[in-house]
Every structure is written in structure tokens, then in C-alpha cells.
Amino acid sequence: MSAGWFRRRFLPEAPLPAPQPPVPRASPVPYRRPRFLRGSASSPADAASGRRDCRPVRSPARGRTLPWNAGYAEIINAEKSEFNEDQAACGKLCIRRCEFGVEEDQEWLSLCPGEFLTGHYWALFDGHGGPAAAILAANTLHSCLRRQLEAVVEGLVATQPPMHLSGCCVCTSDPQFVEEKGIRTEDLVIGALENAFQECDDVIGRELEASGQVGGCTALVAVSLQGKLYVANAGDSRAILVRRDEIRPLSSELTPETERQRIQQLAFVYPELLAGEFTRLEFPRRLKGDDLGQKVLFRDHHMNGWSYKRVEKPDLKYPLIHGQGRQARLLGTLAVSRGLGDHQLRVLDTNIQLKPFLLSVPQVTVLDMDQLTLQEEDVVVMATDGLWDVLSNEQVARLVRSFLPGNREDPHRFSELAKMLIHSTQGKDSATGDGQVSYDDVSVFVIPLFSQGRADHGH
Amino acid sequence: MSAGWFRRRFLPEAPLPAPQPPVPRASPVPYRRPRFLRGSASSPADAASGRRDCRPVRSPARGRTLPWNAGYAEIINAEKSEFNEDQAACGKLCIRRCEFGVEEDQEWLSLCPGEFLTGHYWALFDGHGGPAAAILAANTLHSCLRRQLEAVVEGLVATQPPMHLSGCCVCTSDPQFVEEKGIRTEDLVIGALENAFQECDDVIGRELEASGQVGGCTALVAVSLQGKLYVANAGDSRAILVRRDEIRPLSSELTPETERQRIQQLAFVYPELLAGEFTRLEFPRRLKGDDLGQKVLFRDHHMNGWSYKRVEKPDLKYPLIHGQGRQARLLGTLAVSRGLGDHQLRVLDTNIQLKPFLLSVPQVTVLDMDQLTLQEEDVVVMATDGLWDVLSNEQVARLVRSFLPGNREDPHRFSELAKMLIHSTQGKDSATGDGQVSYDDVSVFVIPLFSQGRADHGH
């Protein structure tokens, strides 16, 4: 991606033509649920009320094992959309080691299995504007990631990534420069995740254009590799580590509210992206004619604090970012500021594009499992925002800690726990106390770290 | 500041004229040391060696009291430059309360002293390219801050800042919007600090242009107001809180290394700022012809991780940010990425400007002194980078904790401590163990929080 590309894509000299619905050249992306749900039955979320068929909770069939014996459950939204716009994927990552110095456009050599670097992958995608982007992401992202990791595998298996991928130093002091910069193997995995998200975003853009579909999705991915768990997040899903005496967030939400300064900054640099229809400034509420000439609280891109400004006419425009918390919207349209897809998305009835304000690159955190004295009930809970809208980290941890010790014998206990977490979003569980209800799609992975954390170590 | 301004200033259509030395229209800024050093004697840093007059340590005359009985000491660099390019300022901040609804261009009404909001102010400025910018900052910044605080004083004295500065609601739900956004009084002080730094930067730009001088400076400011201590930092100075059992950083360094992504991002958006002379990408070292065609480690603006790319010819250009740690330089020129001044600064023998990459806006942290059970030896240590190059936070804390308890009777003990810290940068003190020497200018404030923290409360 170059600035030239950005300008050609988003800032053409002439005014943009009115958006045309894309002309399909390929068949639409078929709707589906995650592969690992095949053969599964649904349990009614609402059995007590007798409305058996409304909003069933689904989880993998007994007998089907996910990586690390992880648990999974999902529930469809309350008819907000016809389809469940969440998607999920998981599996083993086999990273082939190419022969030393072989060019990337040549065939990979499949060496003996001992030469493979293996890891595991769990991913949740929360779609909007249709299910297509999330389905494409679930079909594609792991392949992009595998390709990106294979491209740097020589660096991954070294103690420290070499300056040159060939391993041959041009300068004898090359290792010293890498050392001084503090570049570690995990930085290559982070870089691979960042690149994979962008590559996947490009694929989704092309596929949606070809099939005449639209939409976007968030992406939350956990990858285990070489004793570390990488959590890459683009959007408002969340992953937390729950241990007996610790709750550790492994991601943070990326929304118009949390990324306000980045988004305002772009509108400052390229005001034409707002087409004179929006104001870049943040105010406590949308301003009205009565506010003209008054001094009101505001915030611009360079400010963490607040100040006052005298209201002028342009300040009455609709704000670039409007609303608080869960209600905050970018350009009045979107509740997330990172994710995949949305290449065609425009503000309703205008030519104003959302994509330039969106990033596909994730934030990545690293959990060094070797540094933890893992215990049997240590789990990572990954879920789409539907869960976290209703349950706090503490409530989820309390449910995890109350459920797991009594169910040690059940091989499916992590899926049972995932189901139980989802039931708790349906206002029926006393554990939450307040009985709040999530009407959104909800998807949950529960990944146990004990023992499995060791399995992905070698190569 | 608008994007239009930014473009006119930094991105003119026609190529820029070759830089001309500014034509002085005013007399140069006279060199001086901080006012509060008047009448002070110097103590030789190096008395033991007999070289009495080299690098004297200066601190305020006994009998002169700084706000909160703070201590101060400074040492000039080892002939790196003729002048001490550090500057310092401190004093009482008297924030006048204007009559309700009075226009800002009318005279301030001096109400009874009870209507004043008072605070205190300590500031360090570390100059480069000459002493002028730091002197102007020491002369000016507190006035800018006072003005900015006076502009919002009605909000400061309210429990929660009102949506309208007049206090009259346009909407009955205005307080609710402010509540939902979580806007607190301290956000107005943060906003005032952010605006004051930018206003001061503008003043310095005009004054330097008028006097035909050049240069820039970092700024580290501590402000006490309404029971809170605000620390605003633009550059590589540092403030820490030292307590009996706690060391808390109150600032973080803003350098080309710590602000890499912001700086690379700007070069991505406006590649013309590099005039084809620099590469935006980061590599472990500067690349050479031998690297061409090889795959080497690199990082671009959107990456926290590292990846490999095949080296092409443009990658051999000098990097936008080069070097590690203390040696990292922006455009081969500057070691800091925020500060005041530098409006004229260009890369040597080119037309490439540094200013677009520099921010004058500070990062602000807030220490709520009411939340601390303050003890007699709790102090904030503020110092320019010359101190922190040689002493770690832990070493400084150890020196503080070993010095203060034995010197409770000395009213000048905080200046004595500041002097002692500076002596420890001269390689003579056994406390540091390693006897490292700082050849830079060093300036230190030691601000005791006990009891004084209560003095700035009311208004």
C-alpha cells in the first residue's frame, strides 16, 4: 500500500461517479455455519419458556474435537438479520519450511514432518451488512496467515531473526544491529499477523466485488506457536485470560471511540474525505442552531483533553464520530473502526466512503505461556461483542470459575461452558444478577491452556 | 491549525525556494539563566580534582524559596556548546476569574482574591540549535498557560465542566451528555496545557523569525492545581514520583523511536515531505548496495511487528528515522519528535523541513495527590535527559531515599538533593556504582509533595 495508491483510490481529481451497485461476475458467497458444527444439534436457549425453536444455541457435536479440546458455542441474533453474521474457524497451522534460499515463486519443498512448524488457530468474525465478508474471512484468513508465516519461517526457527532471510550476513555486524533493535522471533509472528489481515482484506475486497456482494466483519484471532499465544484483534470482539486468581485482557476494542484521534487526524489531513457533510470535531452532543455563537466543549485530533470553542456554522454538521460507548458511530454508519471488507461501504445516500477511515491491521498481544505456571482451569475466553455487551470480564470469570471445577470429568466441558456463557446472555441466568439480554449474534471459544500449551512447542 | 494551513505551509505547489537565513527585524533574544538563580553561587562539580572553574553546579541562593520549597540545580555541558541550552522556570499561577458572560476581548475584572484560582508551575526546557527557543519558552509558556486556563476557568470551578461556558443550557439534557462522555474538570486542564504548548510554539516561531534566530527546545512542565499535579511533556526530559515504596513514571519520552509509527504515517500520507531523499521504512541498519535483491528485516508505518522485504534501490536511501535508543535521529538531524520551535530547521544542505514531523502538543499525565497518603519524603524529580542518560529511575530513587531522611532540618535540602543528583552524573559518586559521566547540560527540579500538595487546593 502506497500513498499514491491511497490517493488514487480515495482522492480522485474529478468528483467520484455516483456509486454503482457492483456487477456480479461470480456466484455469491454461499451462506454456511462453521465446518466444525456439522452434525451438531441445537439446544434451545429458551427451553423454560417453551419457545423451543427461537434462538437455539449451537455447539460442536459430541465426539468432534477442536484444537486443544477447545469449546465453542453460538447463538443467532433475535431476527436482527436473517443470517447469523458471526463466523468462526479453527484448525491446525502447518507451516512448511522451504529449502534454504529457494525463491518464493518456486514450489515449496515438503520436507519431512519433523521440519514443519505447527501451531493452532482459532478465529471469530463478526459480520455487518450481510454475512459474506465474515464467511470469506473464515475461509481465507488462516491461509493468508500460513503463507505469511511460511515466508518468514527461517527467521522463526532461529534464536533471533537474521537481518537477511538467507541467513548470509552482508555485514559482519548484522546480528548486532538486530540485537540492538531488540527484534525477537515473536515480532515476525506479529508482522505475519499484520500482513495476513491486510492480505485477507484485499482478497475479501476482490471476492465481494466479483460476486456483487457487500459487507464487512471484525476479526479476532488466537494463534499458538512455539509456546506463545498471539491474539490479533481488529474490531470490537474481545479475548481474556481467566485463571484462578487473575483476569487478563488479551485484546482491546478498536472502535470509533477508542480510535478517535487516528480518525480525526485523517480527516484533518484529507478534509475532502468528509465532502463538506461532516464535522471532524467532537462535541458532547450534536449541535443545533441555538448553540451558534455559544462556547461549547469540543475536542480535535491533537487533544486528549477538552476545551471550549465558539460555535460556528460548520460545527452544526453531523459529527465524524457521534455517540458514546456502544452507540458511537463512524460517519453515522459503523460501530467499529477496524476489520475486513467494507470496500464498497458509503454513507447512506452519499458518495462518502467509510473504507479510508478503517484499518484492517490488527492489534496483537502476546501471551508467553512458558512464563505462566499453567493450571488445569486456565482458559482463554474469546467472544464477539454480543457477549461483552451483557457480561463483564468479572462476570465471565466468575462463571468460568464456578463451572469448571465441578465438571472435570466431562470431555466436552469447554463447549458446555461456552453454552453456559451464552445462556447467561439471555437474561435467564441468576449468575449475572441483572438478567440483561443480548439480542446480537454471540459466538464464544473457550480455549484451555493447560497441557495443550506445551504441545505446540517444537517444530 | 487546519489542513489547509498545513498544506500551504509545508506542501506548496511550486518547489520551495532555497532556505534563506531569516532577516532580523528585532534584537536577538538575550542569553540568561533562570531568574531564581540570581545571587546564587556556583559550587564546583569537580572540587576534588582542583579544577574549580570547570562545569560548576548552580542552585538558588540560600534564602530564595521556590514554590513548595522545591529544590533546583543545574550544570552546564562540557563545552558542547558555549551556552547552557537548558532553561528553567517556576512560579505561582494566578488564574483570574472573569465576570460571568464577559467577552474575552474585554478587560479582565480583578475580583476579590478569594475568586482567584491559584496553582504552581515548574518547567524545564532543553534547547538545541542555540539557546533562544528555550529562553523564549521559559519567558512565555506560563503566560500562555495562564491565558488558556483563564479562558476555561468557569468550567474549572464547576463540579463538572458545563457543555456551555456561559453555564446556560441550550438543551436540558446537556449535563447528561457531558456526564456520558465522562468529561471531568481535569480534562479542561489537560486541554489548556495542550493548547498552551501550541500557542507558545507559535509565539516562539514568530519571535525567532523576527530576531533572525533559530533553534528549538523540549518542554517538561509540572502544574499543581486543585489538588492535582499535571505533568505535560513534549520531548525527552522525564519526571518521576519517588516515594518510600514506589517509583512512578509521570512522563514518557517522545522521540523519533517512540513515535516511529506517527512519523512514518505522515511520510506515507505526504511522501513529498521526504523530497525523494529519504526512505520511510525502518531497517535494522542503513542498507548498502550489497543488500540489493536480498530479503531484509523491515517495518512500515502500520506495523508493530517486523517482516522481510526484497531490497530495491529506493530502500538504500537514508532512513527517515535512523539509529537506536539515544542515537535515534529524525531525518538524520533531531533526537526528539516533540517540542517547541524549530520552525526554520531543515536537513543540512537540503530544503527538507523537520517541522511537519514535530508536534508541539504534550502528553499529559495527572497525579491525584488527594488519592495518595503523602509522606514527608515524597518528591517529584523532574530532569532533562542529561540526568536520565546516566542515572536510572531506580538509582535516582535510591539517592533520594538515602539523602532526605538524614537532612530533615536543612530548609534547602531539596536543592541540596538536586545538586547531589547532578554530582552523581559526573562520575564521582559511588552511589551509581558505574561512575558514568553526562557531558550534556543537566537541570533538575525536586518538588516535595507533602503538605504543599494541600496548599493549592481552594480558590
Side-chain angles (χ1 to χ4, degrees), chain B residues 72 75 245 279 285 387 418:
Chain B
Y72 175 83
I75 190 170
D245 46 13
T279 170
R285 61 162 167 75
L387 185 83

Side-chain angles (χ1 to χ4, degrees), chain A residues 111-347:
Chain A
L111 302 184
C112 63
E115 293 291 323
F116 282 26
L117 193 60
T118 60
H120 287 92
Y121 169 90
W122 300 263
L124 294 176
F125 306 97
D126 183 348
H128 52 256
I135 295 168
L136 286 168
N139 292 349
T140 311
L141 183 55
H142 58 282
S143 309
C144 300
L145 180 59
R146 187 170 51 76
R147 215 167 16 246
Q148 292 291 343
L149 287 168
E150 284 177 350
V152 300
V153 71
E154 292 301 334
L156 291 179
V157 297
T159 323
Q160 186 160 47
M163 165 97 184
H164 293 85
L165 199 55
S166 67
C168 307
C169 293
V170 164
C171 239
T172 50
S173 52
D174 281 351
Q176 183 196 320
F177 285 105
V178 174
E179 177 76 39
E180 278 177 9
K181 286 264 181 196
I183 306 171
R184 303 147 304 173
T185 308
E186 68 183 66
D187 293 312
L188 293 187
V189 182
I190 295 170
L193 279 159
E194 291 170 334
N195 291 340
F197 273 59
Q198 295 198 286
E199 186 189 334
C200 184
D201 185 50
D202 292 342
V203 170
I204 290 173
R206 285 195 302 271
E207 298 270 325
L208 288 182
E209 194 184 2
S211 64
Q213 289 174 289
V214 296
C217 67
T218 69
L220 173 65
V221 171
V223 171
S224 72
L225 201 67
Q226 297 174 304
K228 290 185 173 135
L229 190 78
Y230 298 84
V231 176
N233 184 43
D236 61 356
S237 296
R238 188 189 297 170
I240 64 172
L241 169 67
V242 178
R243 311 181 70 199
R244 192 177 295 170
D245 46 13
E246 186 189 6
I247 304 171
R248 193 188 303 183
L250 299 178
S251 67
S252 59
E253 283 83 78
L254 297 155
T255 67
E257 197 175 41
T258 62
E259 295 209 276
R260 172 187 61 86
Q261 286 190 279
R262 173 181 72 73
I263 293 164
Q264 285 184 320
Q265 167 73 21
L266 187 66
F268 164 73
V269 168
Y270 290 130
E272 51 272 53
L273 293 174
L274 302 184
E277 302 276 348
F278 289 83
T279 169
R280 176 181 85 228
L281 302 181
E282 181 186 17
F283 302 99
R285 61 162 167 76
R286 183 159 183 199
L287 301 183
K288 314 159 192 257
D290 291 352
D291 295 303
L292 272 173
Q294 303 247 11
K295 281 192 169 175
V296 305
L297 284 166
F298 86 104
R299 219 159 35 157
D300 200 356
H301 66 97
H302 60 278
M303 299 169 71
N304 268 303
W306 287 80
S307 193
Y308 288 94
K309 84 177 293 282
R310 200 173 289 286
V311 179
E312 297 161 277
K313 251 188 134 182
D315 301 326
L316 304 188
K317 292 178 184 173
Y318 199 85
L320 171 58
I321 300 167
H322 191 54
Q324 273 85 253
R326 310 275 332 147
Q327 265 59 57
R329 289 289 177 282
L330 174 62
L331 292 163
T333 305
L334 205 56
V336 289
S337 56
R338 298 209 193 184
L340 310 172
D342 289 320
H343 295 72
Q344 304 292 334
L345 187 61
R346 286 163 203 260
V347 177

Side-chain angles (χ1 to χ4, degrees), chain B residues 3 45 54 69-70 88 99 152 157 160 170 212 237 263 293 354 359 387 394 405 444 456:
Chain B
C54 92
N69 195 32
E99 202 182 322
V152 301
V157 298
Q160 187 160 46
V170 164
S237 296
I263 292 164
L354 275 286
L359 282 186
L387 185 83
E394 289 68 29
V444 181
D456 285 353

